[in-house]
Amino acid sequence: MLSYILRRIVATLPVMAIVALFVFSLLYIAPGDPAVVIAGDQASPEDVERIRQSLGLDRPFLVQFGGWVWRILHGDLGTSIFTNLPVSAMIGQRLGPTLSLMIVTLLLTIVVAVPLGVVAAWKAGSLIDRVIMGFAVFGFSLPVFVVGYILAYIFALELEWLPVQGYTPLTQGFWPWLENLILPAIALGCVYIALVARITRAAMLEVLQQDYIRTARAKGLGQGGILFIHALKNAAVPIVTVIGIGIALLIGGAVVTESVFAIPGLGRLTIDAILRRDYPVIQGIVLLFSFVYVLVNLMIDVIYTLVDPRIRY
Amino acid sequence: MDRRTVLKGLAGAGGLALTGLSAPAIAQGASARTLRFVPQANLANFDPIWGTQYVVRNAAALVWDTLYGIDAQLQPQRQMVESEETSDDGKIWTFKLRPGLKFHDGEPVLAKDVVASLSRWAARDPMGLMIIAIQQELTAVDDRTFKWVLKQPFPKMLYALAKNNAPCSFIMPERIAKTDPFKQITDYVGSGPMKFAKGEWVPGAKAVFEKFADYVPRQEKASWLAGGKQILVDRVEWIVMPDPATAAAALQNGEVDWWENPIADLVPVLKKNKNISVDIGDPLGNIGSFRMNHLFAPFNDVRARRAVLMALSQEDYMRAIVGDDNALWKSLPGFFTPDTPLYSELGGEILKGKRDFDAAKKLLAESGYSGQPVTCLVAQDQPITKAQGDVTADLLKRLGMNVDFVATDWGTVGSRRAQKTPPGQGGWNMFHSWHAGADCITPAAYTAIRANGEKAWFGWPNSPNTEKEITTWFDAKNLEEEKAAIGRVNKAALEDVVYAPTGFFLTYTAWRKNVSGITKGPLPFFWGVSKSA
Amino acid sequence: MSEALLSIDDLHVAFSTRRGMVEAVRGVTLTVEKGEMLGLVGESGSGKSVTGFATTRLLDAAGRVTGGKILFRGQDVTKLRGDDLRQLQGAAMSMIFQNPRAALNPIRAIGLQIADAILTHKRISKEAARGEALDLLRAVQIREPEARMNAYPHELSGGMCQRVMIAIAISCNPALLIADEPTTGLDVTTQKVVMDLLADIAAARGMATILITHDLGLAARYCRRIAVMERGRIVEEASPRSLFSAPQHAYTRRLVAASPTATSRIEDLVTEEDRERYATVVSKPRAELVHGTPPLLEVRKLAKRFDQGSAAVADFSMTMAGGESVGLVGESGSGKSTTSRMICRLIDPSEGDIVFDGHSIGYVASRDFHRSRLRKDIQMVFQDPNESLNPRFTAFDCIAHPLLRLGGMRAGEALRERVEECAVRVGLPLDLLPRFPHQLSGGQKARVGIARAIACRPRLLVLDEPTAALDVSVQAVVLQLLDRLRRENDIALLFVSHDLNVVRMLCDRTIVLRNGGIVEQGESRALFDNPKTDYTRKLVEAIPHIETGEMLAAAL
């Protein structure tokens, strides 16, 4: 098992290398020029060219790419063109908020979506089922920013229960930290909850038709025991898979959520960096995200083996 | 469903519910000694010489002081300088610094620091470059005195050192100012009334400024960049909010104190809130721009350019930008900021009155236009360019032009507009931008009005008449001469259509009523601003 | 008569489906005495399992008891709710199912699954429950029970899984056990062991048992009373002896006839009144084999090793002449399916060669074989007609597909004629051709599978358990069809089956496989009548026979 995990981690290296080359090439051919943004609207073309030179953006592709790879191999993600801060430091500043948002959303999703899906499957075809699935469709089709605005309007502006925006680090207390994350997590989690609830329902429906569920009923087991001990764990593989895939969805949704709730996270950094063509930052973030994604996939595979003894690596 | 519709809907709902409802905000955890400010944009870098975005200039004005400062009457006033002398021939300027000035690291401000700072600034500033072109030497005479020796007189010297247009001539310690002007500084030790808290800086999200106790304000009353810059709070926190609806909600909730530029859609809600004041922020406003490429057909022909001017309705453009609020826009039959001393409408008839499409089409036909595609670069991520672009697409189609509408982002427009290749090969025919009114008071910082062909701003207009009159303005010795020159610049630039102005528009600023001392100006001034609990 | 343990009175069960309510059980009346083993026999759809599920209250959500009573110890089971119901389920009454591996939770250790049942009904500690579970594993004769406690179903054989199911079912000493097809899908030898165990346990504990099965022979061997169900009704109830000697109902007669016995011939599988239809065909004489003609198929020293290293098949050689039929028998894991797939060129052999009609085809990679012109000469019929037909293809498409891909035909009139001809040959009514698989019955699907296989007029047909999923009456018809095709078209048949009765009837020769090697081979009848190895003898003895040919003769 351990050797499998190690092998998988080593196997991510070529993936990361391909991602790196791909991202670098894409940025190289994409239109736009950071020097123009730096120089401002009034700058002369000569000034822009001087800035390009000082940033090394006039060098050939291979030289730039080689230099970048060389630095990465030495653990240096480079320096932001705009802020002149190390990319690693900028990502470090933003990691806490995004990670907090992800974790709270993930927990919220699991706590809400899985029981909803289980209940919907158990009562399949009933009014409860239709209500839950109706909400799921609704949650799936509402854009994150709409949910965000509505939540902020009700819970922050009208009821004044929660703050409108911002982020407080966990080091300043649990409640201040959580208080700022509740609304964003609900807004971000909406689509995700809908998705996971639907998948849970579908997976549970299939499992509930299996012979061993009938066996469990024949044993005289209670409904709860059947649903949660026998059925849910058997339905876990697709649910865990979707939760894992959903992390990519979360990363995408985090961009909007962080903007709506003014959370200083990686999503906003990504957008800012892209709009300004801050190449080193974009590259650093993409590398990080792809690494996280690979890691999440690995975790999912490990969870499979915990859930299902038939899966062995 | 687009974001703006949702915003408007919510603004409407909010307006109903919020009238008379919102409870007075109880003083939040942060004390009245911290002013929380939502800036117009993200403070992504902090070198006001290297980067010239307005937001950097605005933040830098807190941290670095200048030798002179422009006041509300647009006149340069002494700031760090105690006195100055000009030789009779106007070629030698001798300046003396005020005593007791200190940098944030406690070191005194010396003439050598000023010399290094001015050298770095001059290399990047249009007026600075004009001075360098005629400079003999710039030297420190003693700790408090420095001397600028020129080969010719430069009457606009004090204006150059006082102006609020980026880059401003901020005074930094010599070791920082020695940085290559095309490389970014990493040390933010300043000379101004507030210190930059580098450790708390999260680019794109937050910037914090702390009161500098050893700053020596002038005795005069503060007026824009001039006068006594008295800081009445301990901390100023800049909190970047990418989403305007969030900023509005945060302001209503008392989570922030001052929002620099609320978007027009949300202003009605803010106005209804009895805890919030809303007013025009920058009376100098902005000028919308329809920029044409003078190198390639159809806009290489002045008749095609004038056809656009004839048909263009500034009201359409302005309403697209600011909405229904008539207090926020004016038509502008010229290029210079309204309500400033040099404002002129000379030659502006073509932009006034009923729009004449028939005549415009006739003129366009005379220019030889025969249906080739017209490449319009329109940045969709900037509300101002997006709104203008939509109007333009309609306008050009009605003129019978074949519009190639390139919807893209501002970063792409920024690099593509620099292409001098033909439109079919990566080039372009027109794009939209806008210029701060503060930069359009005179030709000094007004790059977009320059018409010196290949050396001019994007679009590369070539109008010898315009250039000639700009030179006349630089040499003008009094206001009368300046006014006459600017009138002729305006007329020439309209005749040759250096670019097409789409109108003059203003923006609001909004703050909570427990904040006082906010003044109108081309940038947010924090001196004199206080906050009660 | 003392009060019966269970008495079902005029039971009606209906299912709500998309096409409205469908009655699955229409008035079943039945009694079971204490300690008795009752056989409930019928073909699929007869309502026998539904009766069992209604009794244990395990009907699907769609199913509902619409009439009648089920009295268990005098209490009406259909009216129980909540705790009363749970005290019944698994405690007083329990059930075991067909396909034991699927009936066990795949991701829960079997020890826990047994303990779950105990803990549901007894207030004892988890350790004590574990102890009882271990005792139960011993009781169902599982070797190394301590080690097996932590095993998962996939680590156990099918027979072991069924023992675990029995352990669960008897864990709370129920008074009634309902065994629904408990041995279907198991090897013949395992079938016998499991049924013997079940019978012993029931006898030892005085437990009444209802044995639900489609296999008349199995019921006859273990039950003293058999009830025959057809279309939701009990048509006949009698002792095995009288059932076989003097079946009263026409359906029972058909069923008895269709059940293969040690001596029955293919012609025997239908009752007298049905036989006329086949008579003309069956009487057609078989082509004599000419000596000296080269064999159609020659397999030389075939071997297959999978990744784990041990050989699934080793040193397998055989020959087949054109039009000959050969049976390949053995327990599961004996390598018979692997061998048949290698011959079909669906998987690649590790060693050895296959020569078909003088051409060596063993070295052609299986993924390239579809391009070979011999592909259409070797066709396969798969085990489960439900799984092996594309649900998006109509019956017509299924049959036409190989003609388009291998026969080089184009869509059009000629294709339609050819498909219809195939359908006629397998006895598939032409009006069924536009239907999709789910709209066809099991027997009809089997015919489509065979029609597809013979569409390109192959010379060798490999059949992998083609009747295992079918009812006996359908099986009888399919077997007759296959025999007829062989005679009419001179198609060689390689028949893979664990059902020795069927192999004996259909195949000229039989090859017995064990652990990937040939144990014994020879002319079918001789081999079965006089097995030379213990293994073959065990296989033969395990078949539940309906004894005595004279009884059968009397029935006819």
Side-chain angles (χ1 to χ4, degrees):
Chain A
M1 189 73 196
L2 202 68
S3 78
Y4 168 75
I5 293 174
L6 282 176
R7 265 186 290 129
R8 280 284 298 265
I9 289 176
V10 172
T12 62
L13 293 178
V15 175
M16 303 286 291
I18 291 166
V19 168
L21 179 64
F22 181 71
V23 170
F24 201 94
S25 320
L26 205 65
L27 289 179
Y28 187 81
I29 53 173
D33 183 349
V36 172
V37 186
I38 291 163
D41 212 30
Q42 308 280 320
S44 69
E46 289 75 26
D47 282 359
V48 172
E49 198 45 45
R50 286 282 299 272
I51 293 172
R52 285 180 60 82
Q53 280 168 18
S54 74
L55 294 173
L57 294 172
D58 56 334
R59 291 174 302 166
F61 172 77
L62 279 179
V63 177
Q64 290 189 43
F65 183 65
W68 181 65
V69 168
W70 183 250
R71 282 194 303 275
I72 284 182
L73 290 177
H74 288 76
D76 177 10
L77 285 175
T79 306
S80 158
I81 291 175
F82 281 83
T83 64
N84 215 12
L85 296 172
V87 171
S88 50
M90 288 179 74
I91 289 177
Q93 278 179 334
R94 305 302 196 100
L95 207 55
T98 299
L99 221 55
S100 303
L101 179 62
M102 295 271 183
I103 289 170
V104 174
T105 309
L106 209 61
L107 289 179
L108 179 85
T109 302
I110 293 168
V111 167
V112 173
V114 172
L116 280 184
V118 169
V119 169
W122 175 35
K123 299 279 183 193
S126 72
L127 186 67
I128 298 177
D129 175 32
R130 268 174 282 169
V131 168
I132 292 174
M133 286 303 106
F135 269 114
V137 172
F138 194 60
F140 209 84
S141 30
L142 273 183
V144 171
F145 67 91
V146 173
V147 182
Y149 290 154
I150 294 171
L151 287 175
Y153 177 71
I154 297 173
F155 293 100
L157 274 183
E158 287 295 301
L159 299 171
E160 300 191 18
W161 290 350
L162 295 164
V164 171
Q165 52 82 42
Y167 170 76
T168 316
L170 191 52
T171 48
Q172 294 182 22
F174 180 72
W175 175 244
W177 171 77
L178 189 63
E179 176 183 61
N180 269 312
L181 291 172
I182 293 173
L183 296 183
I186 297 174
L188 175 57
C190 249
V191 174
Y192 201 31
I193 288 172
L195 181 68
V196 174
R198 287 196 73 99
I199 294 295
T200 304
R201 179 179 181 273
M204 284 291 287
L205 272 184
E206 183 167 345
V207 168
L208 286 176
Q209 287 176 6
Q210 297 298 314
D211 288 358
Y212 51 83
I213 297 301
R214 195 178 53 202
T215 306
R217 283 169 60 205
K219 286 184 202 172
L221 254 61
Q223 199 61 252
I226 291 174
L227 287 176
F228 288 95
I229 295 177
H230 288 275
L232 184 55
K233 211 176 159 197
N234 269 295
V237 166
I239 299 174
V240 168
T241 309
V242 165
I243 289 176
I245 292 169
I247 286 177
L249 205 71
L250 280 190
I251 291 175
V255 174
V256 179
T257 312
E258 287 174 4
S259 289
V260 168
F261 291 96
I263 295 171
L266 283 171
R268 266 172 71 194
L269 183 64
T270 314
I271 289 293
D272 288 348
I274 290 171
L275 286 179
R276 283 199 306 262
R277 310 289 190 269
D278 197 341
Y279 298 143
V281 176
I282 304 173
Q283 286 148 1
I285 293 173
V286 171
L287 276 189
L288 175 76
F289 281 166
S290 37
F291 184 69
V292 166
Y293 200 61
V294 168
L295 215 61
V296 165
N297 273 309
L298 178 58
M299 275 166 59
I300 291 170
D301 284 348
V302 172
I303 292 175
Y304 285 168
T305 66
L306 298 180
V307 167
D308 192 336
R310 288 168 295 183
I311 300 173
R312 285 275 166 269
Y313 300 113
Chain B
M1 177 155 27
D2 102 340
R3 198 178 269 228
R4 196 162 171 183
T5 359
V6 176
L7 274 181
K8 279 183 167 163
L10 281 178
L16 286 176
L18 282 172
T19 31
L21 184 141
S22 43
I26 300 133
Q28 309 274 326
S31 78
R33 308 295 299 168
T34 300
L35 185 72
R36 289 156 310 176
F37 172 77
V38 181
Q40 52 168 290
N42 154 29
L43 185 67
N45 69 77
F46 200 40
D47 182 341
I49 307 299
W50 178 80
T52 55
Q53 300 101 317
Y54 294 131
V55 66
V56 180
R57 186 265 323 261
N58 297 355
L62 271 172
V63 175
W64 289 283
D65 213 346
T66 47
L67 296 173
Y68 292 81
I70 201 147
D71 69 6
Q73 281 70 49
L74 304 174
Q75 294 307 308
Q77 304 293 345
R78 290 173 193 140
Q79 188 49 235
M80 295 174 85
V81 160
E82 184 182 73
S83 62
E84 72 285 313
E85 262 176 43
T86 328
S87 62
D88 291 343
D89 60 2
K91 291 182 183 173
I92 302 170
W93 289 85
T94 311
F95 303 90
K96 197 167 179 66
L97 293 171
R98 280 196 286 146
L101 297 177
K102 275 186 183 155
F103 285 115
H104 296 165
D105 57 2
E107 296 297 315
V109 178
L110 302 177
K112 66 180 170 71
D113 299 310
V114 175
V115 167
S117 298
L118 290 180
S119 303
R120 186 165 188 260
W121 161 78
R124 294 296 305 275
D125 184 68
M127 288 185 89
L129 288 166
M130 293 170 81
I131 299 175
I132 286 181
I134 55 169
Q135 168 180 317
Q136 193 152 335
E137 60 168 358
L138 170 62
T139 49
V141 177
D142 58 36
D143 278 357
R144 282 175 55 203
T145 318
F146 65 97
K147 196 168 66 173
W148 216 332
V149 182
L150 307 176
K151 295 172 193 155
Q152 294 168 26
F154 188 72
K156 302 278 184 298
M157 174 62 88
L158 297 188
Y159 184 80
L161 297 179
K163 72 180 171 66
N164 58 320
N165 318 109
C168 301
S169 55
F170 294 116
I171 302 303
M172 303 173 176
E174 184 186 27
R175 63 188 151 85
I176 301 174
K178 282 210 140 97
T179 310
D180 180 331
F182 289 92
K183 289 231 162 72
Q184 227 187 121
I185 59 171
T186 52
D187 188 350
Y188 308 110
V189 169
S191 51
M194 297 202 92
K195 293 185 289 185
F196 182 59
K198 191 182 173 187
E200 293 186 60
W201 181 32
V202 183
K206 193 178 181 189
V208 176
F209 307 89
E210 290 164 334
K211 185 175 178 174
F212 175 48
D214 289 342
Y215 180 74
V216 187
R218 296 188 71 93
Q219 295 307 308
E220 301 92 335
K221 197 171 170 297
S223 174
W224 288 17
L225 289 169
K229 297 174 179 174
Q230 301 277 1
I231 299 295
L232 304 177
V233 292
D234 291 341
R235 271 165 76 88
V236 172
E237 287 181 3
W238 283 28
I239 301 163
V240 179
M241 298 219 184
D243 194 299
T246 309
L251 186 68
Q252 293 177 69
N253 236 20
E255 290 174 34
V256 294
D257 304 309
W258 181 7
W259 179 15
E260 185 179 0
N261 61 336
I263 63 168
D265 294 337
L266 290 170
V267 164
V269 187
L270 300 178
K271 279 184 169 168
K272 279 175 191 153
N273 189 309
K274 63 179 161 54
N275 295 312
I276 292 174
S277 301
V278 180
D279 201 354
I280 301 292
D282 174 8
L284 298 178
N286 300 278
I287 294 170
S289 155
F290 179 125
R291 191 86 191 174
M292 291 170 263
N293 189 341
H294 293 238
L295 299 185
F296 299 102
F299 297 131
N300 59 347
D301 190 304
V302 68
R303 286 169 295 188
R305 301 199 295 272
R306 283 187 67 87
V308 169
L309 278 195
M310 272 177 170
L312 174 157
S313 157
Q314 291 192 333
E315 181 173 356
D316 289 351
Y317 280 95
M318 292 299 104
R319 285 199 184 283
I321 293 175
V322 303
D324 302 330
D325 193 338
N326 282 328
L328 284 180
W329 69 275
K330 276 182 190 177
S331 58
L332 180 69
F335 294 95
F336 293 92
T337 312
D339 304 319
T340 56
L342 302 181
Y343 177 70
S344 168
E345 292 187 8
L346 213 61
E349 293 72 24
I350 191 167
L351 281 164
K352 294 178 185 170
K354 199 174 170 295
R355 306 288 77 202
D356 191 345
F357 271 84
D358 293 337
K361 278 182 185 166
K362 197 163 152 262
L363 201 57
L364 186 62
E366 281 171 25
S367 80
Y369 178 75
S370 55
Q372 60 265 56
V374 176
T375 305
C376 304
L377 305 182
V378 181
Q380 303 287 310
D381 56 332
Q382 300 287 333
I384 294 173
T385 55
K386 181 181 187 301
Q388 294 189 86
D390 293 343
V391 177
T392 295
D394 180 56
L395 170 73
L396 298 186
K397 278 175 193 154
R398 283 168 63 198
L399 276 174
M401 293 183 123
N402 174 10
V403 176
D404 170 26
F405 193 86
V406 181
T408 180
D409 70 335
W410 190 234
T412 306
V413 171
S415 62
R416 187 160 170 191
R417 69 186 181 185
Q419 299 292 324
K420 285 185 180 174
T421 48
Q425 301 163 29
W428 53 279
N429 288 111
M430 67 79 50
F431 68 89
H432 279 294
S433 184
W434 73 101
H435 310 297
D439 292 340
C440 307
I441 296 166
T442 72
Y446 200 166
T447 330
I449 195 74
R450 301 302 295 264
N452 44 348
E454 296 283 308
K455 284 187 161 170
W457 203 56
F458 310 104
W460 310 283
N462 191 357
S463 167
N465 282 339
T466 309
E467 277 298 298
K468 193 183 95 201
E469 298 304 338
I470 290 174
T471 314
T472 316
W473 174 80
F474 271 105
D475 295 336
K477 301 202 174 45
N478 56 49
L479 191 61
E480 286 315 304
E481 282 181 39
E482 287 192 31
K483 277 186 173 174
I486 291 302
R488 291 192 299 273
V489 170
N490 203 56
K491 187 162 182 289
L494 279 171
E495 264 164 16
D496 289 340
V497 198
V498 171
Y499 75 89
T502 58
F504 173 78
F505 59 96
L506 295 156
T507 52
Y508 282 113
T509 192
W511 63 93
R512 293 189 65 83
K513 289 209 167 125
N514 61 336
V515 175
S516 53
I518 290 174
T519 50
K520 293 183 184 187
L523 56 149
F525 299 114
F526 292 85
W527 29 91
V529 175
S530 64
K531 184 181 165 190
S532 60
Chain C
M1 183 177 139
S2 65
E3 189 184 281
L5 178 70
L6 177 78
S7 74
I8 300 175
D9 184 21
D10 194 27
L11 179 70
H12 289 257
V13 180
F15 284 82
S16 58
T17 67
R18 280 183 198 174
R19 279 170 293 171
M21 296 295 280
V22 173
E23 267 212 315
V25 174
R26 343 174 177 202
V28 163
T29 301
L30 194 68
T31 58
V32 180
E33 304 296 330
K34 270 185 192 142
E36 180 194 24
M37 189 178 273
L38 170 76
L40 194 56
V41 178
E43 294 189 304
S44 48
S46 63
K48 59 189 194 300
S49 293
V50 174
T51 306
F53 288 134
T55 308
T56 46
R57 289 288 301 270
L58 291 174
L59 284 174
D60 289 346
R64 210 153 46 81
V65 173
T66 49
K69 276 187 276 194
I70 302 173
L71 293 177
F72 179 72
R73 290 172 171 163
Q75 208 174 14
D76 191 348
V77 173
T78 60
K79 297 198 165 58
L80 291 181
R81 304 231 154 264
D83 279 351
D84 293 340
L85 180 61
R86 287 184 53 197
Q87 274 163 22
L88 177 85
Q89 283 180 332
M93 206 191 259
S94 61
M95 193 160 182
I96 60 177
F97 308 97
Q98 187 176 357
N99 195 356
R101 186 168 285 138
L104 289 169
N105 187 337
I107 59 169
R108 201 163 164 81
I110 58 162
L112 281 177
Q113 299 197 43
I114 301 172
D116 282 343
I118 298 167
L119 286 169
T120 308
H121 299 290
K122 292 187 195 167
R123 292 183 172 277
I124 55 172
S125 70
K126 283 191 177 170
E127 287 72 39
R130 209 180 144 76
E132 285 194 22
L134 194 58
D135 289 343
L136 283 164
L137 283 186
R138 286 198 189 96
V140 295
Q141 296 167 20
I142 282 183
R143 269 166 296 177
E144 300 175 56
E146 289 87 354
R148 299 293 183 209
M149 284 291 281
N150 297 321
Y152 292 95
H154 69 276
E155 295 165 339
L156 303 177
S157 68
M160 294 262 259
C161 286
Q162 195 58 293
R163 288 174 203 230
V164 173
M165 277 304 296
I166 294 172
I168 291 173
I170 64 172
S171 64
C172 295
N173 276 316
L176 176 66
L177 174 72
I178 298 179
D180 184 10
E181 303 273 11
T183 58
T184 309
L186 300 181
D187 282 325
V188 271
T189 48
T190 316
Q191 269 183 20
K192 184 169 185 315
V193 176
V194 168
M195 274 313 299
D196 287 350
L197 175 72
L198 193 61
D200 288 350
I201 287 175
R205 303 191 177 210
M207 185 170 69
T209 310
I210 300 177
L211 175 66
I212 297 174
T213 180
H214 69 281
D215 188 339
L216 212 45
L218 186 78
R221 182 180 264 191
Y222 292 96
C223 305
R224 271 195 248 134
R225 201 151 60 87
I226 295 175
V228 179
M229 280 190 78
E230 189 210 8
R231 281 183 274 158
R233 288 194 185 86
I234 289 184
V235 293
E236 190 163 355
E237 193 184 318
S239 69
R241 180 168 289 271
S242 55
L243 207 62
F244 284 112
S245 56
Q248 300 298 308
H249 194 273
Y251 178 72
T252 318
R253 280 205 290 281
R254 259 208 315 280
L255 199 62
V256 169
S259 303
T261 68
T263 53
S264 53
R265 294 163 299 152
I266 286 186
E267 305 89 283
D268 299 333
L269 294 181
V270 284
T271 53
E272 220 162 57
E273 51 263 45
D274 293 334
R275 189 177 291 163
E276 288 309 311
R277 288 191 274 153
Y278 293 97
T280 50
V281 189
V282 172
S283 60
K284 187 176 170 184
R286 237 175 101 181
E288 274 301 310
L289 288 178
V290 184
H291 277 282
T293 44
L296 177 70
L297 175 78
E298 188 175 0
V299 177
R300 297 179 194 139
K301 294 191 177 301
L302 205 59
K304 179 69 187 177
R305 274 179 294 277
F306 289 108
D307 295 340
Q308 291 85 352
S310 69
V313 175
D315 198 18
F316 179 93
S317 300
M318 68 173 286
T319 56
M320 271 178 89
E324 195 185 11
S325 66
V326 175
L328 209 50
V329 300
E331 291 183 301
S332 47
S334 60
K336 56 188 193 297
S337 285
T338 307
T339 305
S340 70
R341 274 157 207 220
M342 282 192 283
I343 291 171
C344 271
R345 304 303 299 111
L346 292 176
I347 54 176
D348 288 318
S350 308
E351 282 170 31
D353 195 10
I354 300 162
V355 180
F356 185 83
D357 198 21
H359 302 275
S360 169
I361 57 170
Y363 301 108
V364 183
S366 58
R367 65 168 182 276
D368 297 328
F369 190 67
H370 67 94
R371 277 186 238 125
S372 165
R373 61 183 178 78
L374 294 174
R375 172 75 282 173
K376 69 183 178 62
D377 287 330
I378 305 175
Q379 288 290 315
M380 196 155 185
V381 178
F382 296 96
Q383 177 165 10
D384 191 339
N386 299 312
E387 303 284 328
S388 60
L389 295 180
N390 186 335
R392 301 272 175 268
F393 275 21
T394 62
F396 184 92
D397 297 334
C398 284
I399 300 168
H401 198 235
L403 290 169
L404 293 167
R405 294 294 303 274
L406 302 171
M409 294 186 77
R410 296 286 173 80
E413 193 58 25
L415 179 74
R416 198 181 57 77
E417 277 173 14
R418 182 75 174 272
V419 170
E420 287 178 354
E421 179 204 322
C422 292
V424 169
R425 277 169 65 201
V426 299
L428 185 72
L430 295 184
D431 56 339
L432 298 183
L433 283 177
R435 293 203 185 171
F436 287 96
H438 69 271
Q439 297 166 320
L440 299 172
S441 73
Q444 288 163 345
K445 276 186 273 199
R447 286 173 204 260
V448 173
I450 293 168
R452 173 175 64 180
I454 63 166
C456 289
R457 301 192 177 120
R459 285 186 287 165
L460 171 63
L461 207 52
V462 177
L463 304 115
D464 188 358
E465 306 265 17
T467 61
L470 302 176
D471 283 321
V472 277
S473 58
V474 181
Q475 168 178 291
V477 175
V478 171
L479 290 176
Q480 283 178 332
L481 167 66
L482 288 172
D483 195 52
R484 180 168 59 89
L485 287 173
R486 179 168 71 101
R487 286 159 199 258
E488 283 177 357
N489 303 87
D490 214 23
I491 301 174
L493 299 179
L494 180 61
F495 193 91
V496 178
S497 180
H498 69 271
D499 190 334
L500 302 191
N501 280 335
V502 170
V503 172
R504 171 167 25 203
M505 285 187 289
L506 193 67
C507 301
D508 307 322
R509 273 192 307 128
T510 299
I511 297 172
V512 182
L513 275 176
R514 185 185 194 188
N515 295 337
I518 296 176
V519 176
E520 193 172 345
Q521 56 178 313
E523 198 269 320
S524 297
R525 200 160 288 266
L527 186 132
F528 287 116
D529 289 345
N530 201 359
K532 289 189 183 61
T533 60
D534 289 344
Y535 180 66
T536 310
R537 189 171 303 116
K538 214 174 84 196
L539 282 180
V540 172
E541 282 172 1
I543 310 169
H545 288 301
I546 299 168
E547 307 295 347
T548 70
E550 64 270 22
M551 277 186 189
L552 196 64
L556 302 171

